[in-house]
Amino acid sequence: MFQEVASPYTDHAELNINLERLKELVVMAIKVHGLPFSIATQRVLVTLAEKELDYEFVYIDLATGQQKTEDFVKLHPFGQVPVLEDGDLTLFESRAISQYIAHRYADKGTPLIAPDPKKMAILSVWTEVESQRFDPQAYKLAYELVIKPILGRTTDEAIVTQHEGKLAEVLDVYEARLTQSKYLGGDSFTLADLHHLPVINYLMSSKIKALFDARPHVSAWCADILTRPAWQKVAALMKH
């Protein structure tokens, strides 16, 4: 499809570079539908940033119900964000999207999965822990303490107390795990860590930060992952 033809008007080396870039752009025809402030959308964007992939961002206005329109529901049957389109593939659910990106573009950017089956199994355990143990507590706290005030709504302190205790129990397990390895999935940064980033970022501006600070290994882990260049790029989007 991309036949390299010599031209008397074009330097051959430059032609090769341009053709390679064109091939790259065609391969990486990625489109993300979402909202920059959405935790789930951020999870996908930071995965793309870690993989150093170009993409088109399509802003979905949740305030006007754009995610519930007929056209959007064709992309996401539950009418939520984010949605990823990559060529003829359409995906929803942020963790499924991040796993797809990590596998499909394994040769790009930061390795986010493990080629060894045993290491991948351990990594998968901790991605499950994030979605099943950590996120139900952390997201509820972020919603009550950070998102509700932004929306002008009142925080339910009873809900905060309930989930604060449960999150503390999860973080005790994390503290023990992080005494054994630098990251949750092993000695390198992977999806198991990445999936935590958006909600931890929100919680760092709330009183829940004290739960993380009280556990030295958890605190060091948070400081590490929150200062990654890929996350900083995503965090910058929320300032615009």
Side-chain angles (χ1 to χ4, degrees), residues 67-80 83 90-93:
Q67 75 279 17
K68 300 297 184 181
T69 61
E70 182 178 351
D71 286 343
F72 191 79
V73 170
K74 290 177 182 177
L75 300 175
H76 193 315
F78 297 105
Q80 298 175 324
V83 169
T90 300
L91 293 174
F92 57 92
E93 296 298 339

Side-chain angles (χ1 to χ4, degrees), residues 136-227:
Q137 318 309 328
Y139 180 83
K140 196 67 177 178
L141 288 165
Y143 180 73
E144 290 293 335
L145 293 168
V146 183
I147 299 173
K148 267 191 173 182
I150 291 174
L151 298 175
R153 300 175 186 172
T154 304
T155 295
D156 188 327
E157 292 296 340
I159 291 177
V160 171
T161 300
Q162 175 189 357
H163 290 278
E164 187 175 2
K166 291 180 179 179
L167 180 60
E169 293 176 2
V170 175
L171 292 180
D172 284 340
V173 174
Y174 278 35
E175 180 69 11
R177 169 60 180 168
L178 291 167
T179 63
Q180 302 170 9
S181 60
K182 184 177 180 180
Y183 298 99
L184 289 175
D187 293 325
S188 61
F189 178 84
T190 65
L191 289 180
D193 310 289
L194 179 149
H195 285 176
H196 291 77
L197 275 166
V199 72
I200 287 179
N201 184 65
Y202 274 116
L203 291 175
M204 288 297 105
S205 64
S206 77
K207 67 178 184 178
I208 301 303
K209 181 178 185 294
L211 292 182
F212 295 86
D213 291 344
R215 295 159 175 83
H217 290 87
V218 169
S219 180
W221 169 70
C222 287
D224 183 319
I225 65 176
L226 287 169
T227 54

